[in-house]
Amino acid sequence: MALMQSRTAHSEQLRAASLRVTQPRLAVLDTVTENPHADTETVYRIVRESLPVVSRQAVYDVLAALTTAGLLRRIQPSGTVARYETRVGDNHHHVVCRSCGVIADVDCAVGEAPCLDASQAHGFSIDEAEVVYWGICPGCSAPQSSRPRS
Amino acid sequence: MALMQSRTAHSEQLRAASLRVTQPRLAVLDTVTENPHADTETVYRIVRESLPVVSRQAVYDVLAALTTAGLLRRIQPSGTVARYETRVGDNHHHVVCRSCGVIADVDCAVGEAPCLDASQAHGFSIDEAEVVYWGICPGCSAPQSSRPRS
DNA sequence: CTTTTTGCAAATGATTTGCATTAAC
DNA sequence: GTTAATGCAAATCATTTGCAAAAAG
């Protein structure tokens, strides 16, 4: 039922964005909703479990369309592949584990977006501050005994 | 003479890092010093002006070696190619123009690195905060008359 | 001379492009 | 019926890998 609910909500989201409601788009929205920070390949794999006809290119197209429409947010920490999440519009950042790559959300430490002291912006008009914290997650810093194999 | 000076200094830097002093490495250090935020292809092109034998793979190798040794810092804002700079060790960030891609340095607004309110770090032990401000640079926001063609 | 670097070629992997077909509206 | 989406195949582009040849110490 949670699925049915989200499906209805997602259809409305698509219509509100003047996007046609298609199975691939609903499946991608469902997948990213249930798997925040999933990368394209993961989305592709999961979508195909329920909708085996979808092509990888369709997933790329859908992710791009939904991101442009503001339904998804695309994040891509340095040297990593693109990932997507449904939390849009708020000013939150991310913490990434150098070891396993897991990502967690972090609310902005400063407050209002874009959280910059604009005093020395070199004349740029800044509209977004993208912050990535790098570190080691609790799982990876735990003693090896409790978490073998890297 | 500025060049000769930097060459000498760069040789010492390499030796201090236990790296062999080679023409490609000196040329890459010179190039990045004179062209902060240059990407790999730009470094390759400029290096070959003075040292035409250098291969693209050698440039990749050198940039990686120098970055690992701490002589260069690698930055890569979302969706862009890797860029390099010689300012290492300080906690500065970057502002990127969405229109022309130009990058400028910005000192950290908070102060000490990593500038994070660790209150909600989800148990991560964080060692670096990477901040990218996105906006429009003065040149691109100027009236078209003064800066035609994009 | 020994080890590190470089050159060269080929592979990889994410992402994009072009076009015909299909599905929404 | 129109127009927007998708499927499919091929292309692109930054970057990596493997190994032999060359150069640094």
Side-chain angles (χ1 to χ4, degrees):
Chain A
M1 40 237 153
L3 182 60
M4 295 308 286
Q5 273 186 314
S6 68
R7 289 243 139 177
T8 306
H10 291 162
S11 297
E12 289 167 3
Q13 278 190 295
L14 288 170
R15 265 188 273 270
S18 304
L19 291 176
R20 291 187 177 174
V21 178
T22 68
Q23 293 297 325
R25 283 172 176 176
L26 289 173
V28 167
L29 272 176
D30 288 345
T31 300
V32 177
T33 300
E34 291 163 19
N35 305 81
H37 314 131
D39 61 28
T40 307
E41 195 62 24
T42 302
V43 173
Y44 172 64
R45 191 153 16 82
I46 296 176
V47 163
R48 283 180 70 94
E49 288 174 8
S50 61
L51 208 61
V53 297
V54 176
S55 72
R56 183 175 280 101
Q57 290 74 4
V59 172
Y60 273 99
D61 287 349
V62 168
L63 288 170
L66 298 184
T67 301
T68 300
L71 300 189
L72 294 182
R73 177 179 170 190
R74 172 185 171 137
I75 62 172
Q76 187 172 22
S78 301
T80 68
V81 299
R83 293 163 173 271
Y84 297 85
E85 63 187 357
T86 54
R87 280 185 67 182
V88 296
D90 66 344
N91 182 37
H92 79 276
H93 305 310
H94 298 96
V95 49
V96 185
C97 178
R98 290 190 192 279
S99 176
C100 68
V102 71
I103 296 182
D105 288 339
V106 194
D107 291 326
C108 181
V110 176
E112 295 301 290
C115 47
L116 165 69
D117 165 12
S119 61
Q120 41 149 14
H122 294 281
F124 281 64
S125 71
I126 293 168
D127 60 79
E128 184 188 352
E130 196 181 345
V131 182
V132 176
Y133 297 104
W134 292 91
I136 304 293
C137 75
C140 288
S141 64
Q144 298 177 325
S145 53
S146 61
R147 203 164 195 286
R149 289 285 287 117
S150 168
Chain B
M1 39 240 144
L3 181 59
M4 295 309 284
Q5 272 186 311
S6 68
R7 289 243 139 175
T8 306
H10 290 163
S11 297
E12 289 167 3
Q13 279 189 295
L14 289 170
R15 264 187 273 271
S18 305
L19 290 176
R20 291 188 176 172
V21 179
T22 68
Q23 293 297 325
R25 284 172 174 174
L26 289 172
V28 167
L29 272 176
D30 288 345
T31 300
V32 177
T33 300
E34 291 162 18
N35 305 82
H37 313 132
D39 61 28
T40 308
E41 193 62 25
T42 301
V43 173
Y44 172 64
R45 190 153 18 81
I46 295 175
V47 163
R48 283 180 69 95
E49 288 174 8
S50 61
L51 208 62
V53 296
V54 176
S55 72
R56 183 175 279 99
Q57 290 72 6
V59 172
Y60 273 97
D61 287 348
V62 168
L63 288 171
L66 298 184
T67 301
T68 300
L71 301 188
L72 294 181
R73 177 180 169 189
R74 173 186 171 136
I75 60 173
Q76 187 172 23
S78 302
T80 69
V81 298
R83 291 162 174 272
Y84 297 85
E85 62 186 359
T86 53
R87 279 185 67 182
V88 295
D90 66 345
N91 181 37
H92 78 276
H93 305 310
H94 298 96
V95 49
V96 185
C97 178
R98 289 189 192 280
S99 175
C100 67
V102 70
I103 296 183
D105 289 338
V106 195
D107 291 325
C108 181
V110 176
E112 294 301 291
C115 47
L116 165 68
D117 165 12
S119 61
Q120 42 150 10
H122 293 281
F124 281 65
S125 72
I126 292 169
D127 60 78
E128 184 188 351
E130 197 181 344
V131 182
V132 176
Y133 298 104
W134 293 91
I136 304 294
C137 74
C140 288
S141 64
Q144 297 175 326
S145 54
S146 62
R147 203 161 194 286
R149 292 286 288 115
S150 165

